[in-house]
Amino acid sequence: MSLPVITIDVDYNAEKDRIKQFLSTFTSQDKDLVDGMADIGLDDDDGTPTRAKHVKYMNQLPQQRIANREQEMLVIDLEDISEHERTVAELVSRIRRNARRYVSLFSDVVDELMPQPTKDISEHDEVIDVILHQRRERNERMEGAQEGFPNHLLRRYNLYFQPLRSDIAMAVRDVKGAHLGRLITVRGIVTRVSEVKPLLRVNAYTCDVCGSETFQDISRKDFQPILDCQNEAECKKNGIRGTLHMQTRACRFSPFQEVKIQEMMSPGDVVHLGGIFLPIPYTGYQAIRAGLLTDTYLEAHHIYQLKKQYSAMEITPEIQRAIDALRDDPQLYMKLAQSIAPEIYGHLDVKKALLLLLVGGVSKSVGDGMKIRGDINMCLMGDPGVAKSQLLKYISKVAPRGVYTTGRGSSGVGLTAAVMRDPVTDEMVLEGGALVLADNGICCIDEFDKMEESDRTAIHEVMEQQTISISKAGISTTLNARTSILAAANPLYGRYNPKISPVENINLPAALLSRFDLLFLILDKPTREDDERLAEHVTYVHMHNTHPEFDFELIDPTLIRHYIARAREHRPTVPAEVSNYIVETYVRLRKVSRDEEAQKKSHSYTSARTLLGVLRLAQALARLRFSNEVAHADVDEALRLMEVSKRSLVDDEEDVHDHDRSDISKIFRLIKEMAKQAQAGKQGRRTRGSKRIGLGPGGERDMDVDSDEEDDAEELSMVDIRSRVLTSGFTEAQLMETILEYERLDVWTRVANNSKLRFIESD
């Protein structure tokens, strides 16, 4: 039974005429960057300059750029054809249905319109140019001789179609057999890119008897070489079987590169590929096994790379006005934190830390080549059901470049890089893992505790050095992995066991834990108030399919992304007075850590990495304010987050029962902590001051020290208190309520026209 024959009613000669008219007459109002300034100064018949309107494609042909070998790529935009034809239903739709045929038709028309070069192009001559010149001279001497050159041999350009901007990018799984031969757009993540290799388009042979050249047009990946000379005038006429030898330098090659994409599951390097979906049969032994099956590929004509990092995001005037309004909001820090995963109840300090993780600190490169990372690493430990995975999912989606993976489903090479054999070139190539795909982004690793220890060690270098060193299968290289690590893990026994130490509950190596800037332990402790509010929150979300109403309007994730992009443009520095404050605080923290170790109460260790973590958090807070300098309040908030993360590791009964959870009590403890820090700083300054006074002559300075020591009552500036409390997420009304309440209890009093708060000593 013969296959049915389908006749398509298309006159290709008429199609060539339409194509020729389009290329010759289409005018564009916008100036192409490729065209440069070639037509400036030309005038119409009425004397008006023709700068705004120009014949777009005629500027690429008669302007000699292709003929003079100044341009090798000719892109035909289907939007131009649609605008010229005034409809998509005719020529554009036929191009999209039968793209390979129309590539040939357009190329034939371009060959007709192609003029002779207008300048000396001898410096661009190749071997094939010499052969063509000699063949033309011989054909002129011999009557009736035919040139017989393949079209690809004469063309010094590659023609591509750019799809319509209205084309919807298809998922890989949606590409079906019905799309064969069509011009389609596919979206996916680039997982492997091969080297640029020469692809044979025209094979050239030379006869060892008559010396004539024979050219073979190659349209597939495999071909059968010609063995006998095809010259009718000499070899065949004289009955001689001349043997052909391949002449590589006379062949025509095109640049070939294979890009492997996979289904878009995370926002890594996401691209839209516009091209023709075509079949390709198997060859050799594979063809015997495959039988009637064929492989498929996409002949790419246009590649559009989506935004993959903050610096490439485009801001509209509406978003710019919204960013300016947010920047002046005194509650910005709290609003941004509350807007992260609003469907998840509570975890305000964790959300603040996640916001700072999105912003990040400032990465520095020292003159000798050493790099200091600015990305913040964070780990969420806790009981099941506290929404750790949901927070990770949200962060991976709100970040412009984020990769989500799980510990059980990720191996060491899956996180770093795998050495694969390229099926096209049979070479060993590297295929990037999750950490490489998340370069300049965030890598969220869930079920961190379920990873094998051998696989987990692959992350150590990434978390501190932000590189991946590979030495496998003869490949020795270093890949960039400038990413923040956001990990989530469960305790060793599923739920947190308060009867054993936090170190035993966490069950992660100390070398890995020290690389996390923040480590939060989220416990599911039963309290009536929290349980009731949580249940009300969850039921509201299920009833209304949205989060409950807040006291303010939440910020849209798109606006959050753009605001963070603007914030990351700033590179705040640490002024001298803030630097001294950080030094004093670090020394105090080291002393506290040493004392706790002596009393065997320490569950964490304060090291130089802790100091760097405070600096990163403080720089991220300064970035949120669009400031180029780190302030005291930024350092205080960074220290508070550090203290909150450490306090979460302590499961003392005093911490569980004694502390009141009301906002007034939280603000009071915040002010009390400021007083302790101020007192410690004053003691340090007294110590240094007394040493300096002891060196100088005279007793007047000693009297000044004594007068300072007499003033034991601690005073805090209301400006510092207001700044610290508001940046911690509380309101002005809550602050005033706290001040009045504890003033009534004779804990403090306001002095100096209410500009300072003085603590009252109690017996």
Side-chain angles (χ1 to χ4, degrees):
M1 181 179 177
S2 62
L3 295 174
V5 178
I6 300 177
T7 303
I8 302 176
D9 188 16
V10 178
D11 186 357
Y12 289 113
N13 291 325
E15 291 291 277
K16 284 187 177 182
D17 294 337
R18 297 180 66 177
I19 294 171
K20 187 173 183 179
Q21 182 189 15
F22 162 72
L23 293 174
S24 303
T25 61
F26 175 73
T27 57
S28 174
Q29 298 296 329
D30 298 327
K31 191 67 176 171
D32 256 355
L33 292 177
V34 181
D35 297 338
M37 303 177 67
D39 58 351
I40 292 181
L42 300 178
D43 296 335
D44 287 338
D45 296 336
D46 57 355
T48 59
T50 61
R51 182 168 182 168
K53 180 180 289 188
H54 65 289
V55 183
K56 179 176 180 179
Y57 295 97
M58 290 300 290
N59 281 344
Q60 292 189 4
L61 300 177
Q63 289 291 338
Q64 306 300 320
R65 278 199 297 272
I66 293 179
N68 293 343
R69 302 186 187 180
E70 298 173 355
Q71 180 177 327
E72 297 181 354
M73 186 171 65
L74 178 59
V75 179
I76 306 297
D77 194 347
L78 295 189
E79 294 283 352
D80 296 338
I81 302 177
S82 175
E83 181 182 346
H84 184 265
E85 296 286 326
R86 304 297 179 186
T87 176
V88 185
E90 296 183 4
L91 182 57
V92 174
S93 61
R94 288 197 289 271
I95 292 175
R96 296 169 70 187
R97 286 198 306 265
N98 196 5
R100 175 63 73 89
R101 170 63 67 89
Y102 277 87
V103 169
S104 177
L105 294 178
F106 269 83
S107 299
D108 293 341
V109 175
V110 170
D111 292 341
E112 295 179 15
L113 298 175
M114 185 72 66
Q116 294 297 322
T118 57
K119 70 175 187 179
D120 184 15
I121 57 173
S122 58
E123 69 272 11
H124 300 290
D125 279 354
E126 304 171 357
V127 174
I128 190 61
D129 295 303
V130 179
I131 294 176
L132 293 176
H133 178 70
Q134 294 175 350
R135 175 70 69 88
R136 290 192 180 99
E137 288 184 346
R138 188 187 65 176
N139 292 342
E140 290 176 359
R141 294 193 303 267
M142 301 175 60
E143 296 183 0
Q146 301 291 329
E147 289 191 358
F149 298 134
N151 293 329
H152 284 298
L153 195 65
L154 302 176
R155 293 172 186 156
R156 303 306 175 97
Y157 63 90
N158 294 313
L159 190 141
Y160 302 99
F161 286 130
Q162 181 172 334
L164 295 172
R165 287 187 286 273
S166 59
D167 279 1
I168 300 176
M170 305 170 59
V172 176
R173 67 179 67 183
D174 295 333
V175 180
K176 309 295 182 183
H179 298 103
L180 286 174
R182 291 177 176 265
L183 184 68
I184 62 175
T185 301
V186 180
R187 69 173 183 268
I189 302 173
V190 176
T191 59
R192 186 194 307 167
V193 179
S194 69
E195 297 180 0
V196 179
K197 301 286 186 179
L199 179 66
L200 183 64
R201 304 301 296 270
V202 178
N203 203 2
Y205 305 90
T206 302
C207 179
D208 60 354
V209 176
C210 65
S212 64
E213 299 85 12
T214 301
F215 301 99
Q216 182 184 11
D217 200 347
I218 309 297
S219 58
R220 298 169 54 181
K221 277 191 175 181
D222 59 325
F223 68 99
Q224 186 67 34
I226 304 175
L227 301 178
D228 298 333
C229 180
Q230 306 295 318
N231 190 357
E232 299 283 350
E234 298 186 25
C235 283
K236 286 193 174 182
K237 181 179 179 181
N238 299 327
I240 303 174
R241 294 187 59 183
T243 303
L244 296 180
H245 299 277
M246 182 177 174
Q247 299 295 326
T248 305
R249 296 186 62 190
C251 297
R252 171 64 59 202
F253 295 92
S254 293
F256 171 81
Q257 187 177 31
E258 185 181 61
V259 178
K260 183 180 179 181
I261 66 173
Q262 71 179 32
E263 183 81 18
M264 189 179 66
M265 293 176 293
S266 59
D269 276 343
V270 183
V271 296
H272 287 180
L273 296 177
I276 310 171
F277 186 54
L278 295 170
I280 177 172
Y282 292 102
T283 58
Y285 181 68
Q286 284 185 331
I288 300 175
R289 294 186 59 188
L292 300 178
L293 298 180
T294 61
D295 204 351
T296 55
Y297 74 102
L298 188 75
E299 186 183 88
H301 279 225
H302 180 260
I303 299 178
Y304 173 69
Q305 186 172 9
L306 298 181
K307 306 301 182 297
K308 65 177 183 178
Q309 53 188 357
Y310 289 106
S311 60
M313 297 181 66
E314 299 175 358
I315 299 181
T316 62
E318 293 79 8
I319 295 178
Q320 181 62 49
R321 288 192 293 269
I323 290 175
D324 294 337
L326 274 179
R327 182 182 56 186
D328 302 329
D329 192 340
Q331 299 293 320
L332 169 68
Y333 180 41
M334 188 265 292
K335 288 183 178 180
L336 285 173
Q338 290 277 29
S339 300
I340 291 179
E343 291 81 9
I344 298 175
Y345 172 76
H347 305 326
L348 181 58
D349 286 328
V350 176
K351 292 181 179 180
K352 289 179 180 178
L354 291 175
L355 174 64
L356 299 183
L357 181 137
L358 286 170
V359 177
V362 179
S363 299
K364 296 183 180 296
S365 297
V366 191
D368 58 359
M370 186 183 71
K371 294 182 179 180
I372 303 175
R373 68 175 171 94
D375 296 299
I376 298 171
N377 298 324
M378 182 174 168
C379 181
L380 302 179
M381 290 283 300
D383 294 329
V386 293
K388 301 186 301 296
S389 299
Q390 292 292 342
L391 288 172
L392 263 65
K393 281 281 189 180
Y394 185 90
I395 294 299
S396 67
K397 291 179 181 178
V398 77
R401 187 181 176 91
V403 174
Y404 178 88
T405 183
T406 59
R408 179 62 68 184
S410 301
S411 61
V413 295
L415 288 173
T416 56
V419 179
M420 311 287 291
R421 186 174 295 277
D422 194 310
V424 179
T425 61
D426 205 37
E427 296 177 350
M428 303 303 294
V429 295
L430 285 176
E431 185 167 342
L435 294 171
V436 177
L437 291 177
D439 187 35
N440 288 323
I442 298 175
C443 184
C444 302
I445 307 175
D446 203 357
E447 306 293 343
F448 196 59
D449 56 306
K450 307 295 191 303
M451 293 183 66
E452 298 291 339
E453 183 60 33
S454 58
D455 298 332
R456 199 186 290 132
T457 54
I459 312 176
H460 285 221
E461 180 188 0
V462 175
M463 293 184 66
E464 200 60 42
Q465 307 301 326
Q466 296 198 312
T467 56
I468 295 174
S469 300
I470 300 293
S471 183
K472 300 177 182 178
I475 298 176
S476 181
T477 184
T478 300
L479 304 176
N480 285 326
R482 297 158 294 185
T483 175
S484 296
I485 302 294
L486 176 58
N490 290 327
L492 177 61
Y493 305 103
R495 284 184 62 88
Y496 189 84
N497 186 1
K499 296 181 180 179
I500 60 178
S501 67
V503 177
E504 294 172 315
N505 272 289
I506 293 174
N507 194 33
L508 289 176
L512 187 62
L513 289 178
S514 65
R515 286 170 164 82
F516 285 108
D517 299 289
L518 291 172
L519 176 63
F520 282 94
L521 180 60
I522 309 173
L523 301 181
D524 186 14
K525 299 178 181 178
T527 59
R528 176 171 177 79
E529 294 81 7
D530 289 345
D531 293 344
E532 186 176 356
R533 285 196 292 265
L534 173 62
E536 291 174 353
H537 185 98
V538 172
T539 53
Y540 185 94
V541 171
H542 279 266
M543 288 169 59
H544 301 88
N545 201 24
T546 184
H547 55 79
E549 295 296 330
F550 285 81
D551 297 335
F552 53 89
E553 185 178 354
L554 293 179
I555 304 171
D556 184 73
T558 303
L559 182 57
I560 294 177
R561 193 179 298 116
H562 281 87
Y563 189 90
I564 292 175
R566 281 289 307 277
R568 290 172 67 94
E569 295 176 0
H570 297 270
R571 298 180 60 84
T573 57
V574 181
E577 60 274 10
V578 179
S579 176
N580 294 333
Y581 177 59
I582 295 176
V583 171
E584 294 172 0
T585 305
Y586 176 66
V587 173
R588 178 176 59 83
L589 291 176
R590 290 277 290 184
K591 182 179 182 301
V592 172
S593 177
R594 185 183 60 189
D595 295 342
E596 288 181 350
E597 264 191 55
Q599 300 174 10
K600 297 183 179 180
K601 292 183 179 180
S602 176
H603 300 297
S604 60
Y605 181 68
T606 302
S607 63
R609 285 177 174 169
T610 308
L611 175 62
L612 292 173
V614 171
L615 286 171
R616 293 186 195 102
L617 293 172
Q619 289 171 346
L621 286 161
R623 278 180 157 184
L624 273 181
R625 298 183 290 106
F626 290 177
S627 174
N628 292 321
E629 282 192 354
V630 176
H632 277 274
D634 300 328
V635 179
D636 290 338
E637 176 62 15
L639 291 170
R640 189 190 70 83
L641 286 176
M642 283 279 189
E643 182 64 27
V644 168
S645 66
K646 289 182 179 180
R647 196 186 307 137
S648 67
L649 300 177
V650 181
D651 192 51
D652 295 335
E653 292 184 359
E654 177 186 357
D655 187 62
V656 176
H657 299 290
D658 289 349
H659 283 177
D660 186 5
R661 295 175 179 268
S662 65
D663 292 334
I664 293 179
S665 298
K666 291 179 181 177
I667 295 175
F668 172 74
R669 288 196 293 271
L670 196 64
I671 298 175
K672 195 70 175 175
E673 182 66 24
M674 290 180 63
K676 290 181 180 179
Q677 293 176 0
Q679 184 69 22
K682 184 181 293 186
Q683 292 292 341
R685 289 192 295 272
R686 283 177 182 172
T687 304
R688 293 194 300 272
S690 62
K691 291 180 180 179
R692 290 196 299 268
I693 291 167
L695 292 175
E700 293 80 10
R701 296 180 181 269
D702 294 335
M703 292 176 62
D704 292 339
V705 174
D706 294 339
S707 64
D708 287 341
E709 292 177 351
E710 289 176 0
D711 188 11
D712 292 331
E714 190 62 45
E715 290 184 358
L716 294 177
S717 171
M718 288 294 295
V719 176
D720 296 338
I721 293 174
R722 183 176 289 103
S723 175
R724 176 70 178 275
V725 171
L726 293 182
T727 54
S728 299
F730 300 101
T731 63
E732 183 83 23
Q734 292 171 334
L735 172 61
M736 292 309 300
E737 185 180 359
T738 305
I739 291 176
L740 293 174
E741 177 66 22
Y742 284 93
E743 193 173 28
R744 185 178 62 83
L745 297 174
D746 292 334
V747 176
W748 55 50
T749 183
R750 284 176 285 180
V751 297
N753 294 327
N754 295 332
S755 64
K756 290 187 177 182
L757 199 68
R758 178 191 291 267
F759 283 81
I760 300 175
E761 295 184 3
S762 58
D763 296 333

